[in-house]
């Protein structure tokens, strides 16, 4: 499948809708917590077990994004979006079969492994295309797509809750909801496949890429040998762990916190809370990353990690006594979660230059894969152990919140250790960069 080249007169503003059709679809991953309670009830799962599809999906997202960038550039955005469509939709269809047969391993394989590959390829395909179309405003262009990924749960969360209410929350109802998801997202993502184009000349050409190579430049292979890369890896991993730990278990968490109060949270309200978190996640990707242009990348990560730890402390101490406080703190944490994703490419560019920055970014996303396992595992495993010990309500999460605070402090320290890259790591001949730069920067 050859990349579709835009004809003369093609408007580049038709490309962002193509990107959004993919990212809003794969952003459904952030609404997985809506399915957790029905799956636990219908299949007799623990909270840790019901998190496995989401965890594996995030692992596969990071791995396929890290290793798939070169293929995306070589094959083009239409090929990449098609692969994302087939994998993501097939993951839902396999999950529907698994729910109907009450075979949970098939849900884990379908949603987590197959669908996770669709997440990773879908994540990077429109981003690279938008960079080529908008070299004058790359932050805005990539922000559009990344914002769409963060906002996917705004659609998926209430929609999933409504389907489970209509179809039932037993295994057959869950299977039908998965089936509808798979078919609907296939149609929606197909719009992006058909609409996407690459520029034939002008913006995004080799000359534009050459002009972008100013200042120190570091290759991808050399970057992973620097302490700066691994400090940022820790920073991203800790920030994502803190956010994803709440996001993956958001619906049951808010229900547990206020189950024994005079104002318990209904299933519909819990789904609404997930949608609110998605909105904060989406807004943070634009708002906080734009703020980083004004105050600097290190300072904004000080906010993400330092204030994030304070928000977790407030929830742990006072969250079960004030619903507005719980919601506000969770929204702030999720805005930092989204902002961290949107800010890290600029942080990488500041440190390593534009030479192969896309390949560096792809490798850094393995921190996301690690956090996708770590965050839900901490929250779910501890909650399960606390429940076995006879505890309930907010006490299920106290210890996990203390751990999250500790992880954010570790990330804060790692951010403080970031310094400019030593000249010995710079590429010796920047004039050679035009022959490599376009493929590498566009591959992430």
């Amino acid at each position: 499948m050859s990349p579709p080249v835009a004809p003369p007169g093609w408007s580049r503003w038709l490309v962002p809708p193509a990107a959004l059709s993919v990212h809003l679809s794969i952003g459904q991953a952030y609404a997985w917590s809506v399915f957790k309670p029905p799956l636990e009830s219908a299949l007799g799962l623990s909270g840790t077990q019901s998190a496995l599809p989401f965890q594996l999906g995030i692992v596969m997202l990071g791995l396929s994004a890290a290793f798939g960038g070169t293929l995306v550039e070589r094959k083009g955005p239409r090929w990449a979006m098609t692969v994302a469509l087939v994998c993501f939709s097939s993951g839902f269809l396999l999950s529907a079969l698994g729910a109907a047969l009450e075979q949970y391993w098939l849900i884990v394989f379908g949603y987590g492994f197959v669908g996770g590959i669709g997440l990773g390829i879908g994540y990077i395909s429109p981003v690279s295309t938008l960079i080529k179309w908008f070299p004058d405003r790359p932050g805005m262009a990539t922000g559009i797509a990344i914002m769409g990924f963060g906002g996917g749960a705004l659609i998926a969360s209430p929609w999933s809750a409504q389907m489970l209410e209509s179809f039932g929350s037993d295994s057959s109802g869950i299977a039908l909801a998965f089936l509808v998801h798979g078919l609907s997202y296939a149609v929606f993502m197909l719009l992006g496949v058909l609409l996407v184009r690459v520029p034939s000349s002008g913006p995004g050409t080799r000359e534009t890429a050459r002009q972008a190579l100013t200042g120190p430049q570091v290759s991808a292979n050399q970057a992973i040998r620097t302490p700066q890369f691994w400090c940022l890896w820790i920073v991203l991993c800790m920030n994502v762990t803190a956010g994803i730990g709440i996001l993956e278990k958001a619906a049951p968490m808010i229900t547990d916190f206020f189950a024994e109060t005079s104002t318990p949270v209904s299933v519909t309200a819990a789904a609404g809370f997930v949608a609110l978190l998605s909105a904060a996640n989406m807004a943070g990707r634009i708002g906080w990353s734009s703020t980083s242009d004004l105050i600097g990348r290190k300072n904004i990560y000080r906010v993400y990690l330092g204030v994030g730890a304070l928000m977790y402390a407030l929830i742990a101490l006072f969250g079960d006594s004030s619903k507005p406080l719980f919601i506000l703190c969770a929204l702030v944490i999720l805005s930092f979660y989204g902002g961290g994703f949107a800010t890290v490419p600029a942080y990488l560019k500041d440190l390593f230059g534009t030479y192969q920055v896309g390949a560096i970014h792809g490798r850094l996303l393995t921190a996301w894969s690690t956090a996708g396992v770590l965050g839900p595992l901490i929250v779910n495993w501890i909650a399960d152990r606390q429940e076995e010990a006879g505890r309930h309500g907010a006490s299920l999460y106290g210890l996990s919140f203390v751990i999250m605070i500790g992880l954010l402090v570790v990330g804060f320290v790692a951010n403080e250790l970031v310094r400019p890259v030593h000249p010995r790591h710079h590429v010796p001949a920047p004039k050679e960069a035009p022959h490599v730069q376009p493929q590498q920067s566009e591959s992430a």
Side-chain angles (χ1 to χ4, degrees):
M1 183 181 294
S2 60
V5 178
W10 178 269
S11 173
R12 64 179 182 171
W13 292 101
L14 293 174
V15 181
L20 281 172
S21 71
V22 173
H23 268 231
L24 283 172
S25 298
I26 63 177
Q28 183 280 335
Y30 286 145
W32 175 254
S33 65
V34 175
F35 286 103
K36 281 174 62 66
L39 282 170
E40 291 168 14
S41 176
L43 302 181
L45 306 173
S46 66
T48 303
Q49 290 172 322
S50 67
L52 283 177
F54 177 81
Q55 289 175 295
L56 182 57
I58 296 301
V59 169
M60 295 308 301
L61 187 158
L63 293 178
S64 58
F67 296 105
T70 302
L71 274 177
V72 170
E73 173 59 25
R74 185 183 306 155
K75 302 285 189 178
R78 178 168 289 178
W79 174 88
M81 289 183 178
T82 301
V83 171
L85 183 160
V86 171
C87 291
F88 189 65
S89 296
S90 296
F92 268 114
L93 299 181
L94 288 170
S95 298
L97 180 61
L101 299 176
E102 298 188 0
Q103 297 293 318
Y104 187 59
W105 69 269
L106 194 52
I107 298 177
V108 175
F109 174 76
Y111 188 93
F113 184 81
V114 179
I117 295 173
L119 287 177
I121 300 299
Y123 188 86
I124 60 177
S125 60
V127 173
S128 63
T129 304
L130 283 166
I131 288 175
K132 288 189 286 187
W133 274 107
F134 293 88
D136 52 333
R137 284 179 280 183
M140 178 214 69
T142 55
I144 290 174
I146 294 175
M147 181 182 66
F149 187 84
L154 279 174
I155 299 171
S157 180
W159 183 35
S160 300
Q162 182 59 49
M163 279 195 290
L164 290 171
E165 184 177 338
S166 300
F167 301 150
S169 57
D170 58 357
S171 59
S172 61
I174 296 171
L176 190 54
F178 282 153
L179 177 63
V180 173
H181 271 305
L183 297 178
S184 299
Y185 282 131
V187 173
F188 196 56
M189 294 174 75
L190 183 61
L191 297 176
V193 172
L194 297 176
L195 191 59
V196 71
R197 297 288 189 279
V198 296
S200 57
S201 61
T205 59
R206 186 179 298 269
E207 178 65 19
T208 302
R210 184 190 67 78
Q211 293 173 355
L213 288 170
T214 58
Q217 307 294 329
V218 182
S219 69
N221 288 335
Q222 195 64 29
I224 62 174
R225 296 182 173 91
T226 66
Q228 287 83 355
F229 176 88
W230 294 107
C231 282
L232 278 188
W233 193 97
I234 293 171
V235 166
L236 182 63
C237 185
M238 299 301 100
N239 189 60
V240 173
T241 299
I244 213 167
I246 284 184
L247 190 59
E248 187 274 336
K249 200 175 175 66
M253 182 182 293
I254 193 172
T255 302
D256 290 337
F257 254 78
F258 300 99
E260 300 176 356
T261 67
S262 58
T263 56
V265 177
S266 66
V267 174
T268 303
F273 174 63
V274 176
L276 278 177
L277 293 181
S278 178
N281 180 7
M282 179 174 61
R285 292 168 188 251
I286 294 295
W288 293 121
S289 60
S290 299
T291 304
S292 75
D293 292 332
L294 302 175
I295 69 174
R297 320 303 174 195
K298 178 175 281 192
N299 284 334
I300 200 65
Y301 272 97
R302 285 170 173 154
V303 174
Y304 296 157
L305 300 161
V307 178
L310 176 61
M311 294 297 103
Y312 259 114
L314 288 174
I315 293 178
L317 293 173
F318 310 110
D320 59 341
S321 61
S322 173
K323 193 178 295 182
L325 177 66
F326 177 91
I327 294 173
L328 177 62
C329 291
L331 292 177
V332 172
I333 291 171
L334 262 295
S335 75
F336 292 161
Y337 170 82
F341 279 118
T343 308
V344 78
Y347 209 163
L348 289 172
K349 185 178 77 69
D350 293 346
L351 290 170
F352 302 109
T354 55
Y355 179 75
Q356 297 190 350
V357 69
I360 300 170
H361 185 212
R363 297 180 188 193
L364 192 74
L365 287 180
T366 55
W368 189 359
S369 297
T370 304
V373 174
L374 193 60
L377 181 62
I378 290 171
V379 175
N380 286 286
W381 187 85
I382 291 177
D384 289 343
R385 300 292 82 75
Q386 298 289 351
E387 189 173 12
E388 290 174 0
R391 296 183 177 88
H392 46 80
S395 61
L396 296 175
Y397 305 98
L399 178 58
S400 61
F401 287 174
V402 172
I403 294 174
M404 293 299 181
I405 293 171
L407 293 177
L408 287 170
V409 171
V410 170
F412 190 94
V413 172
N415 184 53
E416 293 302 307
L417 295 176
V418 173
R419 298 289 187 272
V421 177
H422 193 279
R424 71 173 180 272
H425 296 293
H426 297 171
V427 292
K431 65 181 181 179
E432 297 176 6
H435 302 294
V436 181
Q437 160 65 14
Q439 175 175 334
Q440 298 291 355
S441 69
E442 294 160 9
S443 68

